[in-house]
Amino acid sequence: MTLVYIVDDDDAVRDSLTILLESAGLTIEAFPGAEPVLERCNAKVPDCLVTDVRMPGMDGMALFAALGKAGIDVPVIIMTGHGEVPLAVAAMKAGVSDFVEKPFTDEAILGAISGAIKKHQDRLRLRPASAELQSRLDSLTAREREVFDLLVAGDANKIIAHALDISIRTVEIHRARVMEKMKARSLPELVRMALELGTLRLS
């Protein structure tokens, strides 16, 4: 399952994109603004995020910056209006995966999404783990490492407790220690660390 988040304050754009991408076999969650996306990403990081560059409140670039600050590593595609190409180019220099100029063809947006996901996965596979990150992992106790592996695999505390035959409260304590030792500010950041270390493989 490939999960894509769409962020645009225009109802018609969200609806048409959702229909198009779902018809291409993608799983879609659509948002009318940027703020709810940050909260949602803390629970489930998508394979790609497509956002309009200009929106009321937090715009697309502010959302991209906020994701980075929160340690949420996801390829972002910016949708721009006519005449905003210089802004889009600046966005790509800042690390945005790609941009598409409205109005765009079905092939253009589908190609941008597939390309962004592939580049992101290739980067994660090829990026070497830093010595410091490996040192953090090595500092975990055997039990903490078990909790770490199950956490990044997506298991909830209740599932981890059952798998390790310990109480949920004990899982919570180990989980807090894992987050502290790994210096992870969020579960998505912990998952990103696992990918970088090679302890979690992309399917």
Side-chain angles (χ1 to χ4, degrees), residues 77-156:
I77 295 172
I78 295 285
M79 296 182 289
T80 68
H82 179 68
E84 294 180 324
V85 172
L87 174 61
V89 172
M92 290 190 69
K93 288 181 178 179
V96 168
S97 296
D98 203 349
F99 75 92
V100 288
E101 186 179 10
K102 297 178 180 178
F104 44 76
T105 64
D106 295 353
E107 292 76 14
I109 187 66
L110 289 170
I113 291 171
S114 62
I117 292 173
K118 183 180 185 303
K119 285 189 293 185
H120 183 68
Q121 291 179 339
D122 288 345
R123 178 175 62 84
L124 290 176
R125 289 190 184 99
L126 295 173
R127 183 172 57 191
S130 68
E132 180 181 353
L133 195 56
Q134 184 63 52
S135 177
R136 294 180 201 172
L137 185 68
D138 293 341
S139 74
L140 300 181
T141 65
R143 179 63 86 187
E144 288 166 355
R145 177 58 192 271
E146 289 177 325
V147 172
F148 169 88
D149 288 338
L150 293 170
L151 271 176
V152 299
D155 290 339

Side-chain angles (χ1 to χ4, degrees), residues 7-9 31-34 51-60 63:
V7 191
D8 199 305
D9 60 307
F31 304 83
T51 179
D52 193 22
V53 71
R54 297 195 185 278
M55 296 180 290
M58 180 182 289
D59 64 19
L63 171 60

Side-chain angles (χ1 to χ4, degrees), residues 12-23:
V13 171
R14 287 200 316 278
D15 291 345
S16 63
L17 265 179
T18 297
I19 292 170
L20 169 65
L21 300 183
E22 285 182 342
S23 70

Side-chain angles (χ1 to χ4, degrees), residues 38-52:
L38 288 173
E39 182 177 352
R40 179 62 179 140
C41 280
N42 278 314
K44 179 67 175 179
V45 179
D47 296 285
C48 187
L49 189 149
V50 182
T51 179
D52 193 22

